[in-house]
Amino acid sequence: MKLYVVIPVVLMALLFAASGVAGITRGWVLSTNRRPVHHPRLYGWAQLVAAFALCSQQVFFWVPSDPDTRQWGALSGSALLLTGLIVMMVSYRTGGNRQGGGTP
């Protein structure tokens, strides 16, 4: 019964990792994120951290039989995932001083 959870998460982690490697090596970002991302290499590293975090969460949740190891492993994976998301936010462009278009 574990495969219905493991397979989608690992596939998503592989897609994140492939996009992260493309961001690091070529500076390429998916077209939906291309405009707001200001530092594509930093964004790629953040995607690799997020992919590693997703895989580590799965490993620590399903493999160990000790509940304490499982809990701390999943918690460290969550901290890594949060770190990756924060680094992704840092790589975005800042809003700057926009002219017009705002409501008074």
PDB file of all heavy atoms in Angstrom, residues 9-25 43-52 54-55 88:
ATOM      1  N   VAL A   9       5.457  10.965  -5.145  1.00  0.00           N
ATOM      2  CA  VAL A   9       6.378  11.887  -4.483  1.00  0.00           C
ATOM      3  C   VAL A   9       7.774  11.776  -5.083  1.00  0.00           C
ATOM      4  O   VAL A   9       8.442  12.788  -5.332  1.00  0.00           O
ATOM      5  CB  VAL A   9       6.399  11.640  -2.962  1.00  0.00           C
ATOM      6  CG1 VAL A   9       7.482  12.455  -2.286  1.00  0.00           C
ATOM      7  CG2 VAL A   9       5.051  11.976  -2.365  1.00  0.00           C
ATOM      8  N   VAL A  10       8.225  10.568  -5.365  1.00  0.00           N
ATOM      9  CA  VAL A  10       9.554  10.386  -5.961  1.00  0.00           C
ATOM     10  C   VAL A  10       9.569  10.926  -7.395  1.00  0.00           C
ATOM     11  O   VAL A  10      10.556  11.549  -7.818  1.00  0.00           O
ATOM     12  CB  VAL A  10       9.980   8.904  -5.898  1.00  0.00           C
ATOM     13  CG1 VAL A  10      11.216   8.642  -6.728  1.00  0.00           C
ATOM     14  CG2 VAL A  10      10.233   8.510  -4.449  1.00  0.00           C
ATOM     15  N   LEU A  11       8.502  10.731  -8.142  1.00  0.00           N
ATOM     16  CA  LEU A  11       8.437  11.317  -9.496  1.00  0.00           C
ATOM     17  C   LEU A  11       8.474  12.838  -9.446  1.00  0.00           C
ATOM     18  O   LEU A  11       9.155  13.487 -10.257  1.00  0.00           O
ATOM     19  CB  LEU A  11       7.188  10.835 -10.226  1.00  0.00           C
ATOM     20  CG  LEU A  11       7.212   9.401 -10.733  1.00  0.00           C
ATOM     21  CD1 LEU A  11       5.863   9.029 -11.338  1.00  0.00           C
ATOM     22  CD2 LEU A  11       8.324   9.216 -11.744  1.00  0.00           C
ATOM     23  N   MET A  12       7.755  13.429  -8.497  1.00  0.00           N
ATOM     24  CA  MET A  12       7.787  14.883  -8.350  1.00  0.00           C
ATOM     25  C   MET A  12       9.188  15.347  -7.946  1.00  0.00           C
ATOM     26  O   MET A  12       9.685  16.367  -8.438  1.00  0.00           O
ATOM     27  CB  MET A  12       6.768  15.330  -7.318  1.00  0.00           C
ATOM     28  CG  MET A  12       6.629  16.835  -7.231  1.00  0.00           C
ATOM     29  SD  MET A  12       5.257  17.405  -6.223  1.00  0.00           S
ATOM     30  CE  MET A  12       5.543  16.605  -4.692  1.00  0.00           C
ATOM     31  N   ALA A  13       9.850  14.594  -7.073  1.00  0.00           N
ATOM     32  CA  ALA A  13      11.212  14.939  -6.664  1.00  0.00           C
ATOM     33  C   ALA A  13      12.174  14.839  -7.846  1.00  0.00           C
ATOM     34  O   ALA A  13      13.069  15.669  -7.998  1.00  0.00           O
ATOM     35  CB  ALA A  13      11.669  14.042  -5.525  1.00  0.00           C
ATOM     36  N   LEU A  14      11.991  13.838  -8.703  1.00  0.00           N
ATOM     37  CA  LEU A  14      12.843  13.725  -9.893  1.00  0.00           C
ATOM     38  C   LEU A  14      12.629  14.887 -10.852  1.00  0.00           C
ATOM     39  O   LEU A  14      13.594  15.402 -11.438  1.00  0.00           O
ATOM     40  CB  LEU A  14      12.577  12.399 -10.601  1.00  0.00           C
ATOM     41  CG  LEU A  14      13.178  11.166  -9.950  1.00  0.00           C
ATOM     42  CD1 LEU A  14      12.704   9.906 -10.661  1.00  0.00           C
ATOM     43  CD2 LEU A  14      14.692  11.241  -9.944  1.00  0.00           C
ATOM     44  N   LEU A  15      11.390  15.327 -11.008  1.00  0.00           N
ATOM     45  CA  LEU A  15      11.131  16.496 -11.853  1.00  0.00           C
ATOM     46  C   LEU A  15      11.746  17.758 -11.263  1.00  0.00           C
ATOM     47  O   LEU A  15      12.312  18.582 -11.980  1.00  0.00           O
ATOM     48  CB  LEU A  15       9.625  16.673 -12.063  1.00  0.00           C
ATOM     49  CG  LEU A  15       8.957  15.643 -12.953  1.00  0.00           C
ATOM     50  CD1 LEU A  15       7.452  15.836 -12.949  1.00  0.00           C
ATOM     51  CD2 LEU A  15       9.505  15.735 -14.362  1.00  0.00           C
ATOM     52  N   PHE A  16      11.634  17.905  -9.942  1.00  0.00           N
ATOM     53  CA  PHE A  16      12.274  19.041  -9.273  1.00  0.00           C
ATOM     54  C   PHE A  16      13.784  18.992  -9.478  1.00  0.00           C
ATOM     55  O   PHE A  16      14.423  20.013  -9.756  1.00  0.00           O
ATOM     56  CB  PHE A  16      11.975  18.995  -7.766  1.00  0.00           C
ATOM     57  CG  PHE A  16      10.877  19.899  -7.333  1.00  0.00           C
ATOM     58  CD1 PHE A  16       9.653  19.853  -7.932  1.00  0.00           C
ATOM     59  CD2 PHE A  16      11.071  20.789  -6.293  1.00  0.00           C
ATOM     60  CE1 PHE A  16       8.631  20.678  -7.526  1.00  0.00           C
ATOM     61  CE2 PHE A  16      10.069  21.617  -5.873  1.00  0.00           C
ATOM     62  CZ  PHE A  16       8.839  21.560  -6.486  1.00  0.00           C
ATOM     63  N   ALA A  17      14.361  17.810  -9.321  1.00  0.00           N
ATOM     64  CA  ALA A  17      15.813  17.672  -9.464  1.00  0.00           C
ATOM     65  C   ALA A  17      16.251  17.966 -10.894  1.00  0.00           C
ATOM     66  O   ALA A  17      17.268  18.640 -11.111  1.00  0.00           O
ATOM     67  CB  ALA A  17      16.246  16.281  -9.044  1.00  0.00           C
ATOM     68  N   ALA A  18      15.510  17.479 -11.888  1.00  0.00           N
ATOM     69  CA  ALA A  18      15.865  17.743 -13.281  1.00  0.00           C
ATOM     70  C   ALA A  18      15.778  19.230 -13.587  1.00  0.00           C
ATOM     71  O   ALA A  18      16.660  19.799 -14.251  1.00  0.00           O
ATOM     72  CB  ALA A  18      14.949  16.958 -14.213  1.00  0.00           C
ATOM     73  N   SER A  19      14.741  19.889 -13.087  1.00  0.00           N
ATOM     74  CA  SER A  19      14.617  21.325 -13.291  1.00  0.00           C
ATOM     75  C   SER A  19      15.717  22.084 -12.541  1.00  0.00           C
ATOM     76  O   SER A  19      16.232  23.097 -13.026  1.00  0.00           O
ATOM     77  CB  SER A  19      13.242  21.790 -12.823  1.00  0.00           C
ATOM     78  OG  SER A  19      13.081  23.156 -13.022  1.00  0.00           O
ATOM     79  N   GLY A  20      16.085  21.587 -11.364  1.00  0.00           N
ATOM     80  CA  GLY A  20      17.162  22.221 -10.610  1.00  0.00           C
ATOM     81  C   GLY A  20      18.508  22.099 -11.301  1.00  0.00           C
ATOM     82  O   GLY A  20      19.288  23.056 -11.350  1.00  0.00           O
ATOM     83  N   VAL A  21      18.792  20.933 -11.865  1.00  0.00           N
ATOM     84  CA  VAL A  21      20.049  20.744 -12.602  1.00  0.00           C
ATOM     85  C   VAL A  21      20.073  21.643 -13.841  1.00  0.00           C
ATOM     86  O   VAL A  21      21.108  22.242 -14.160  1.00  0.00           O
ATOM     87  CB  VAL A  21      20.237  19.256 -12.975  1.00  0.00           C
ATOM     88  CG1 VAL A  21      21.356  19.073 -13.977  1.00  0.00           C
ATOM     89  CG2 VAL A  21      20.506  18.438 -11.728  1.00  0.00           C
ATOM     90  N   ALA A  22      18.939  21.768 -14.518  1.00  0.00           N
ATOM     91  CA  ALA A  22      18.879  22.662 -15.682  1.00  0.00           C
ATOM     92  C   ALA A  22      19.089  24.109 -15.261  1.00  0.00           C
ATOM     93  O   ALA A  22      19.731  24.888 -15.976  1.00  0.00           O
ATOM     94  CB  ALA A  22      17.531  22.511 -16.390  1.00  0.00           C
ATOM     95  N   GLY A  23      18.572  24.488 -14.108  1.00  0.00           N
ATOM     96  CA  GLY A  23      18.767  25.849 -13.615  1.00  0.00           C
ATOM     97  C   GLY A  23      20.204  26.124 -13.228  1.00  0.00           C
ATOM     98  O   GLY A  23      20.725  27.210 -13.467  1.00  0.00           O
ATOM     99  N   ILE A  24      20.867  25.136 -12.647  1.00  0.00           N
ATOM    100  CA  ILE A  24      22.257  25.330 -12.216  1.00  0.00           C
ATOM    101  C   ILE A  24      23.195  25.345 -13.412  1.00  0.00           C
ATOM    102  O   ILE A  24      24.054  26.217 -13.523  1.00  0.00           O
ATOM    103  CB  ILE A  24      22.666  24.222 -11.225  1.00  0.00           C
ATOM    104  CG1 ILE A  24      21.892  24.376  -9.928  1.00  0.00           C
ATOM    105  CG2 ILE A  24      24.162  24.260 -10.951  1.00  0.00           C
ATOM    106  CD1 ILE A  24      22.040  23.201  -8.996  1.00  0.00           C
ATOM    107  N   THR A  25      23.052  24.392 -14.308  1.00  0.00           N
ATOM    108  CA  THR A  25      24.022  24.257 -15.392  1.00  0.00           C
ATOM    109  C   THR A  25      23.787  25.242 -16.530  1.00  0.00           C
ATOM    110  O   THR A  25      24.741  25.768 -17.088  1.00  0.00           O
ATOM    111  CB  THR A  25      23.998  22.830 -15.964  1.00  0.00           C
ATOM    112  OG1 THR A  25      22.683  22.524 -16.427  1.00  0.00           O
ATOM    113  CG2 THR A  25      24.434  21.828 -14.911  1.00  0.00           C
ATOM    114  N   TYR A  43      17.899  29.508  -7.793  1.00  0.00           N
ATOM    115  CA  TYR A  43      16.610  28.825  -7.877  1.00  0.00           C
ATOM    116  C   TYR A  43      16.812  27.329  -8.147  1.00  0.00           C
ATOM    117  O   TYR A  43      16.118  26.488  -7.577  1.00  0.00           O
ATOM    118  CB  TYR A  43      15.771  29.466  -8.974  1.00  0.00           C
ATOM    119  CG  TYR A  43      14.340  29.016  -9.023  1.00  0.00           C
ATOM    120  CD1 TYR A  43      13.409  29.515  -8.118  1.00  0.00           C
ATOM    121  CD2 TYR A  43      13.899  28.112  -9.972  1.00  0.00           C
ATOM    122  CE1 TYR A  43      12.097  29.111  -8.157  1.00  0.00           C
ATOM    123  CE2 TYR A  43      12.584  27.705 -10.020  1.00  0.00           C
ATOM    124  CZ  TYR A  43      11.683  28.208  -9.109  1.00  0.00           C
ATOM    125  OH  TYR A  43      10.387  27.805  -9.154  1.00  0.00           O
ATOM    126  N   GLY A  44      17.783  27.004  -8.991  1.00  0.00           N
ATOM    127  CA  GLY A  44      18.100  25.602  -9.265  1.00  0.00           C
ATOM    128  C   GLY A  44      18.615  24.878  -8.033  1.00  0.00           C
ATOM    129  O   GLY A  44      18.235  23.739  -7.770  1.00  0.00           O
ATOM    130  N   TRP A  45      19.489  25.534  -7.269  1.00  0.00           N
ATOM    131  CA  TRP A  45      19.975  24.914  -6.036  1.00  0.00           C
ATOM    132  C   TRP A  45      18.829  24.700  -5.058  1.00  0.00           C
ATOM    133  O   TRP A  45      18.771  23.679  -4.359  1.00  0.00           O
ATOM    134  CB  TRP A  45      21.070  25.764  -5.390  1.00  0.00           C
ATOM    135  CG  TRP A  45      22.403  25.569  -6.030  1.00  0.00           C
ATOM    136  CD1 TRP A  45      23.079  26.460  -6.802  1.00  0.00           C
ATOM    137  CD2 TRP A  45      23.219  24.397  -5.972  1.00  0.00           C
ATOM    138  NE1 TRP A  45      24.264  25.911  -7.226  1.00  0.00           N
ATOM    139  CE2 TRP A  45      24.378  24.643  -6.726  1.00  0.00           C
ATOM    140  CE3 TRP A  45      23.077  23.159  -5.351  1.00  0.00           C
ATOM    141  CZ2 TRP A  45      25.383  23.710  -6.883  1.00  0.00           C
ATOM    142  CZ3 TRP A  45      24.088  22.226  -5.500  1.00  0.00           C
ATOM    143  CH2 TRP A  45      25.224  22.509  -6.253  1.00  0.00           C
ATOM    144  N   ALA A  46      17.912  25.651  -4.987  1.00  0.00           N
ATOM    145  CA  ALA A  46      16.765  25.509  -4.095  1.00  0.00           C
ATOM    146  C   ALA A  46      15.884  24.342  -4.523  1.00  0.00           C
ATOM    147  O   ALA A  46      15.360  23.609  -3.679  1.00  0.00           O
ATOM    148  CB  ALA A  46      15.954  26.807  -4.082  1.00  0.00           C
ATOM    149  N   GLN A  47      15.737  24.146  -5.823  1.00  0.00           N
ATOM    150  CA  GLN A  47      14.946  23.016  -6.295  1.00  0.00           C
ATOM    151  C   GLN A  47      15.622  21.683  -5.965  1.00  0.00           C
ATOM    152  O   GLN A  47      14.951  20.708  -5.637  1.00  0.00           O
ATOM    153  CB  GLN A  47      14.697  23.130  -7.794  1.00  0.00           C
ATOM    154  CG  GLN A  47      13.644  24.149  -8.124  1.00  0.00           C
ATOM    155  CD  GLN A  47      13.299  24.146  -9.593  1.00  0.00           C
ATOM    156  OE1 GLN A  47      14.167  23.982 -10.440  1.00  0.00           O
ATOM    157  NE2 GLN A  47      12.037  24.336  -9.881  1.00  0.00           N
ATOM    158  N   LEU A  48      16.935  21.647  -6.048  1.00  0.00           N
ATOM    159  CA  LEU A  48      17.647  20.421  -5.662  1.00  0.00           C
ATOM    160  C   LEU A  48      17.488  20.125  -4.168  1.00  0.00           C
ATOM    161  O   LEU A  48      17.315  18.973  -3.771  1.00  0.00           O
ATOM    162  CB  LEU A  48      19.122  20.521  -6.018  1.00  0.00           C
ATOM    163  CG  LEU A  48      19.472  20.259  -7.470  1.00  0.00           C
ATOM    164  CD1 LEU A  48      20.974  20.407  -7.678  1.00  0.00           C
ATOM    165  CD2 LEU A  48      19.028  18.889  -7.900  1.00  0.00           C
ATOM    166  N   VAL A  49      17.529  21.164  -3.345  1.00  0.00           N
ATOM    167  CA  VAL A  49      17.328  20.975  -1.909  1.00  0.00           C
ATOM    168  C   VAL A  49      15.910  20.464  -1.643  1.00  0.00           C
ATOM    169  O   VAL A  49      15.710  19.554  -0.837  1.00  0.00           O
ATOM    170  CB  VAL A  49      17.600  22.292  -1.145  1.00  0.00           C
ATOM    171  CG1 VAL A  49      17.124  22.208   0.292  1.00  0.00           C
ATOM    172  CG2 VAL A  49      19.077  22.625  -1.182  1.00  0.00           C
ATOM    173  N   ALA A  50      14.920  21.023  -2.342  1.00  0.00           N
ATOM    174  CA  ALA A  50      13.538  20.582  -2.159  1.00  0.00           C
ATOM    175  C   ALA A  50      13.363  19.132  -2.623  1.00  0.00           C
ATOM    176  O   ALA A  50      12.648  18.350  -1.977  1.00  0.00           O
ATOM    177  CB  ALA A  50      12.594  21.509  -2.917  1.00  0.00           C
ATOM    178  N   ALA A  51      13.999  18.761  -3.718  1.00  0.00           N
ATOM    179  CA  ALA A  51      13.909  17.385  -4.200  1.00  0.00           C
ATOM    180  C   ALA A  51      14.543  16.419  -3.205  1.00  0.00           C
ATOM    181  O   ALA A  51      13.989  15.347  -2.909  1.00  0.00           O
ATOM    182  CB  ALA A  51      14.580  17.256  -5.565  1.00  0.00           C
ATOM    183  N   PHE A  52      15.695  16.788  -2.671  1.00  0.00           N
ATOM    184  CA  PHE A  52      16.343  15.954  -1.668  1.00  0.00           C
ATOM    185  C   PHE A  52      15.480  15.837  -0.418  1.00  0.00           C
ATOM    186  O   PHE A  52      15.388  14.770   0.196  1.00  0.00           O
ATOM    187  CB  PHE A  52      17.723  16.526  -1.323  1.00  0.00           C
ATOM    188  CG  PHE A  52      18.457  15.735  -0.297  1.00  0.00           C
ATOM    189  CD1 PHE A  52      19.017  14.512  -0.613  1.00  0.00           C
ATOM    190  CD2 PHE A  52      18.574  16.200   1.000  1.00  0.00           C
ATOM    191  CE1 PHE A  52      19.692  13.765   0.339  1.00  0.00           C
ATOM    192  CE2 PHE A  52      19.238  15.467   1.958  1.00  0.00           C
ATOM    193  CZ  PHE A  52      19.797  14.246   1.630  1.00  0.00           C
ATOM    194  N   LEU A  54      12.169  16.026  -0.226  1.00  0.00           N
ATOM    195  CA  LEU A  54      11.036  15.136  -0.481  1.00  0.00           C
ATOM    196  C   LEU A  54      11.450  13.672  -0.410  1.00  0.00           C
ATOM    197  O   LEU A  54      10.743  12.843   0.172  1.00  0.00           O
ATOM    198  CB  LEU A  54      10.422  15.447  -1.846  1.00  0.00           C
ATOM    199  CG  LEU A  54       9.613  16.738  -1.930  1.00  0.00           C
ATOM    200  CD1 LEU A  54       9.219  16.999  -3.371  1.00  0.00           C
ATOM    201  CD2 LEU A  54       8.389  16.650  -1.057  1.00  0.00           C
ATOM    202  N   CYS A  55      12.594  13.358  -0.997  1.00  0.00           N
ATOM    203  CA  CYS A  55      13.074  11.970  -0.953  1.00  0.00           C
ATOM    204  C   CYS A  55      13.445  11.557   0.472  1.00  0.00           C
ATOM    205  O   CYS A  55      13.148  10.431   0.890  1.00  0.00           O
ATOM    206  CB  CYS A  55      14.262  11.791  -1.884  1.00  0.00           C
ATOM    207  SG  CYS A  55      13.801  11.824  -3.616  1.00  0.00           S
ATOM    208  N   MET A  88      14.023  29.591  -2.726  1.00  0.00           N
ATOM    209  CA  MET A  88      13.316  29.891  -3.972  1.00  0.00           C
ATOM    210  C   MET A  88      12.706  31.284  -3.920  1.00  0.00           C
ATOM    211  O   MET A  88      12.748  32.020  -4.903  1.00  0.00           O
ATOM    212  CB  MET A  88      12.199  28.871  -4.219  1.00  0.00           C
ATOM    213  CG  MET A  88      12.653  27.578  -4.806  1.00  0.00           C
ATOM    214  SD  MET A  88      11.212  26.568  -5.165  1.00  0.00           S
ATOM    215  CE  MET A  88      11.903  24.952  -4.931  1.00  0.00           C
TER     216      MET A  88
END
